[in-house]
Amino acid sequence: MSLSKIGAALGVLVASVAISPAAAQAATAATVVSPKRPLNVREGAAVWTRSLRTLPNGTAVQIECQVKGQLIDQGPVRVTDQWDRLTDGSFISDAWVRRGPAAPACTPAQQTAAPTAAAAAAGATTAGTVASGAIPLKARSGPARAAFLYSGLPNGTALNIACQVQGEPITGTMRATAAWDRLDSGAYVSDAYVKRTAEPPACAATAAPAAPAPAPAQAAPVAEAGRWVSPLPGFSARPGFRTPTNPNHVGVDIMSFVGTPIHAAAAGTVLEVVCNIEAGHSCDQTGSASIGGCGWYVKLQHAGGVSTLYCHMVRRGVVKPGQKVAAGQVIGYVGSSGNSSAPHLHFEVHVHTPPTSPGNAIDPLPFMRTHGASIG
Ligand SMILES: [Zn+2]
């Protein structure tokens, strides 16, 4: 499944994490089932987080607790969004694990105690040097050439790399890679043109990128997206972005009625019209809290590297990928498809896109307020 689909899969309603008091005590014995290739052990509950090591098929592991993360539908054991936190703080997808009863849910403290999250918080940076030859290396608002251009960094410029993200693959002077280095300024440069001796840590998947400081004399990226409007005029969103009990909820929910028209929040281009749901279920039926996925959704790309996502539509969106839409144009209708317990719109805003990921989701409430289209 594509990264963007995964982002949508994470933005689900009522993903409540049951907190078990026993979570910290007992570890659950389990076995890795990965016959074709070794299983990646990661620093977070998603495949875009850094792989720390691999485990061969049949390896015995100790699961400390489970967290809700990226939905994995390729594993041999089960289709699940549960990830197993091992006793050293690393994660493996539960889709590749044979075990007895499910391990207890991780406490919020356990979820955020990942080694690299601590490293990122400490502000440590990796030293690097631009190795781009005659052409300056472009520093951008996101990990792709389509992202907003901040400035050109001449060959030999010293860099402080905060962390790495996966983005557009680039072949450069140093290597061919999809990795982009996030600088301490918040800007991104392709790692293909960076000389360095150490491997920078992956950017924490749970931390939204800090807003880069715009270069002088260039407009702030978001200002280019034009007029913003409420996706569901007359209905209010409830706060719910990354709450302590639901840290993977990267949008807000606007309760409404089946069939209420959903409007494009700003002018843009339709990126995706997709059914995102757990295997064995249909987006054309009413969903439930026990089904994974955001159901029928539409993703729009706006100017300035901003994307919006609209989940749980009653049926396929009424727009097509590649289609241009105006602010306020109807793109679909409210429903309750996928991981949804009542008719509502799950609405996400991402910055520094494409691609969207949980890491670049921002709270839609202040964003929409700032853009003159309050939904709160
Ligand atoms: Zn939601």
Side-chain angles (χ1 to χ4, degrees):
M1 87 195 303
S2 70
L3 274 185
S4 45
K5 265 174 94 174
I6 290 156
L10 286 174
V12 293
L13 175 72
V14 234
S16 54
V17 177
I19 310 241
S20 160
Q25 278 101 51
T28 303
T31 306
V32 170
V33 181
S34 184
K36 288 189 185 148
R37 57 183 177 276
L39 178 63
N40 279 301
V41 180
R42 300 191 178 273
E43 63 182 5
V47 297
W48 56 80
T49 69
R50 190 163 54 138
S51 173
L52 302 171
R53 60 183 186 281
T54 58
L55 295 175
N57 186 36
T59 305
V61 291
Q62 295 287 322
I63 303 171
E64 183 180 270
C65 56
Q66 287 189 329
V67 299
K68 191 179 173 76
Q70 178 189 356
L71 179 71
I72 301 294
D73 58 5
Q74 307 288 326
V77 180
R78 59 186 73 80
V79 171
T80 181
D81 58 6
Q82 293 297 307
W83 285 66
D84 301 325
R85 185 183 153 97
L86 305 182
T87 45
D88 66 352
S90 58
F91 292 87
I92 54 177
S93 165
D94 198 45
W96 303 80
V97 169
R98 189 168 60 232
R99 53 167 174 72
C106 294
T107 64
Q110 283 174 311
Q111 288 191 40
T112 53
T116 50
T125 57
T126 305
T129 310
V130 172
S132 60
I135 302 166
L137 177 60
K138 294 180 175 63
R140 298 187 179 278
S141 65
R145 285 179 299 172
F148 189 80
L149 174 63
Y150 285 128
S151 58
L153 304 174
N155 190 45
T157 302
L159 304 173
N160 289 320
I161 304 167
C163 55
Q164 276 188 342
V165 298
Q166 295 301 305
E168 182 180 353
I170 303 286
T171 299
T173 52
M174 299 304 296
R175 58 192 74 84
T177 180
W180 286 63
D181 299 325
R182 188 173 156 213
L183 307 180
D184 56 358
S185 65
Y188 294 81
V189 294
S190 166
D191 193 48
Y193 290 98
V194 174
K195 187 156 77 184
R196 51 176 176 70
T197 50
E199 195 76 14
C203 297
T206 50
Q218 288 189 321
V222 168
E224 297 177 14
R227 183 174 70 100
W228 286 75
V229 300
S230 168
L232 273 190
F235 296 89
S236 293
R238 52 188 190 194
F241 180 82
R242 287 195 199 286
T243 60
T245 53
N246 201 351
N248 293 322
H249 190 249
V250 296
V252 291
D253 297 322
I254 308 175
M255 306 313 293
S256 185
F257 307 103
V258 172
T260 306
I262 299 170
H263 304 264
T269 305
V270 178
L271 273 188
E272 294 174 21
V273 181
V274 170
C275 165
N276 176 265
I277 198 161
E278 201 173 311
H281 297 274
S282 164
C283 286
D284 292 320
Q285 293 170 344
T286 301
S288 83
S290 62
I291 299 174
C294 88
W296 278 120
Y297 76 84
V298 169
K299 184 190 291 181
L300 302 181
Q301 182 68 45
H302 310 288
V306 179
S307 298
T308 52
L309 196 89
Y310 311 76
C311 292
H312 309 305
M313 291 178 173
V314 67
R315 58 179 179 270
R316 180 186 288 274
V318 295
V319 288
K320 291 201 159 47
Q323 183 181 337
K324 304 273 185 224
V325 294
Q329 183 172 337
V330 173
I331 57 172
Y333 296 91
V334 169
S336 192
S337 57
N339 182 218
S340 170
S341 48
H344 75 289
L345 169 66
H346 170 95
F347 177 60
E348 294 181 12
V349 176
H350 295 256
V351 292
H352 310 313
T353 63
T356 62
S357 75
N360 60 22
I362 60 169
D363 188 342
L365 291 182
F367 176 91
M368 295 298 283
R369 202 179 310 127
T370 307
H371 290 82
S374 181
I375 56 173

